[in-house]
Amino acid sequence: MESGNIKEANAILSNIPDFNENSINIKDFGTVINTKVAHMVYLLACYKAKEALEYCEKTEKLLKNVLSGDNHYTVSTLVCKARILAELNDFEGCSECINKAISITRNIFGEEHPTYINLLTSSAEQLIGIGEFRLVEERLLKVIESIENQKYGTQEHTLRARLALVNLYSEMYESSKMLEQIQICEEIIANSELNNEQVSEKLNFLKYNLSGESGDIKKCLESSLRSAELAKREIGDKCNELALAYVSVARSYISLQDKEKCIEYLRKALELYKDLYGKTDIRT
């Protein structure tokens, strides 16, 4: 089964016609860049980050040669480059690309435009991954405040920003703040048409992990097993989300004094991490 990123790339590529890069018509330039970004995503999904970076740098040169000044094509290329650099453990470069993309987007669209909001929330995961916790918190809280003051944005934007906060507080081990954001997300879903099974399941998974810390281990185990099945069904059997679910299952089993089951799921997670990131990665 394909990973989510490969599906994402194939979905883009399947809707884009062939073109001759040596004779690019300016009106077709968006198609060219979208194609190149899709190829970068595809290479990254196939764990060919170095090849993806080379391809990205060629795309940046093409942008400079054809267009003058920064634009939304520059932004999409920078965002993709940030993903590649994070995979190559160049966290400083990743942060630089994200912040540059955000700055360009703000200059082009302004802080009240949905494109700017979407970029702030979608880049949060990468910034969390490289330890920029306080910067992410500051940006997300500012977005949420502006949306709730009805300056701009929708319920979907609010939910995305608050889900990013849930992930942030999970990484920071701030359980009370995390639970508060989970409850707000559940209220948003309950009072709107944003009925997303995967989001609801993830919130339950995180909530039961918190309850597991306070002794409700069986509920935590049930939620972790459901999350593993959901990851397989929605993303595929080769994804980071499935490995994380296996680790959570193992934690529950060790809390229940079932060492054999704990080892079984840790081995599953380890083999998956090796397939995803290689034997030299810190996770293996």
Side-chain angles (χ1 to χ4, degrees):
M1 187 179 290
E2 294 177 328
S3 76
N5 282 343
I6 292 178
K7 284 182 181 178
E8 176 189 345
N10 278 333
I12 299 170
L13 290 171
S14 64
N15 292 314
I16 292 175
D18 293 332
F19 63 88
N20 183 354
E21 190 173 318
N22 295 321
S23 57
I24 300 172
N25 188 317
I26 193 68
K27 70 178 183 179
D28 297 325
F29 192 69
T31 298
V32 175
I33 297 302
N34 285 339
T35 305
K36 288 184 173 294
V37 169
H39 276 297
M40 284 182 247
V41 173
Y42 189 89
L43 287 169
L44 191 58
C46 294
Y47 310 107
K48 296 179 180 179
K50 289 183 180 179
E51 290 181 35
L53 182 59
E54 290 175 7
Y55 201 86
C56 183
E57 288 170 346
K58 290 178 182 178
T59 303
E60 287 180 311
K61 287 180 182 178
L62 179 64
L63 277 167
K64 289 179 181 177
N65 290 337
V66 177
L67 300 177
S68 59
D70 294 324
N71 50 73
H72 62 282
Y73 299 124
T74 312
V75 172
S76 61
T77 305
L78 281 169
V79 169
C80 196
K81 188 176 183 179
R83 291 170 65 176
I84 296 166
L85 291 174
E87 193 66 28
L88 292 169
N89 296 323
D90 183 354
F91 302 126
E92 185 176 341
C94 172
S95 180
E96 183 180 330
C97 285
I98 290 172
N99 288 325
K100 186 176 180 181
I102 288 171
S103 176
I104 293 170
T105 304
R106 183 172 55 242
N107 291 339
I108 295 173
F109 298 104
E111 293 188 354
E112 298 184 1
H113 196 279
T115 302
Y116 180 72
I117 305 169
N118 288 335
L119 182 57
L120 282 181
T121 51
S122 63
S123 64
E125 184 177 345
Q126 286 175 312
L127 290 173
I128 290 169
I130 62 176
E132 297 276 7
F133 296 151
R134 294 304 174 192
L135 175 61
V136 173
E137 183 180 35
E138 179 185 331
R139 285 177 175 171
L140 290 175
L141 289 174
K142 183 178 178 182
V143 166
I144 290 167
E145 181 184 4
S146 296
I147 294 172
E148 292 182 346
N149 287 337
Q150 297 183 331
K151 288 185 179 179
Y152 55 82
T154 64
Q155 282 185 317
E156 185 176 359
H157 290 126
T158 308
L159 181 61
R160 287 186 63 186
R162 290 201 178 276
L163 285 171
L165 276 178
V166 170
N167 292 331
L168 172 65
Y169 293 137
S170 174
E171 290 293 325
M172 295 173 69
Y173 298 100
E174 294 196 14
S175 299
S176 59
K177 288 185 177 181
M178 180 180 163
L179 184 57
E180 179 187 358
Q181 293 303 322
I182 288 173
Q183 290 169 341
I184 294 172
C185 287
E186 288 177 328
E187 288 173 8
I188 292 172
I189 293 171
N191 296 322
S192 69
E193 296 180 357
L194 302 173
N195 187 16
N196 186 309
E197 180 188 356
Q198 195 168 2
V199 170
S200 297
E201 186 61 37
K202 180 179 180 180
L203 293 173
N204 283 329
F205 168 63
L206 292 168
K207 193 162 60 174
Y208 284 133
N209 264 306
L210 289 174
S211 66
E213 292 173 9
S214 62
D216 200 350
I217 306 298
K218 288 186 178 179
K219 282 187 177 181
C220 182
L221 174 60
E222 291 170 5
S223 180
S224 300
L225 289 168
R226 283 200 305 274
S227 293
E229 289 304 313
L230 188 66
K232 279 185 185 179
R233 187 172 74 244
E234 298 291 333
I235 306 174
D237 54 9
K238 296 287 184 184
C239 63
N240 189 64
E241 289 82 357
L242 182 57
L244 288 171
Y246 283 157
V247 171
S248 184
V249 171
R251 286 174 57 193
S252 297
Y253 274 124
I254 197 62
S255 297
L256 293 168
Q257 306 298 313
D258 191 335
K259 292 182 181 179
E260 287 186 11
K261 280 288 186 182
C262 173
I263 292 170
E264 176 189 338
Y265 277 90
L266 283 176
R267 282 178 176 161
K268 286 183 178 184
L270 179 61
E271 289 305 312
L272 193 46
Y273 279 136
K274 284 180 181 177
D275 288 344
L276 290 171
Y277 304 109
K279 293 181 180 179
T280 58
D281 188 82
I282 191 171
R283 282 159 284 211
T284 60

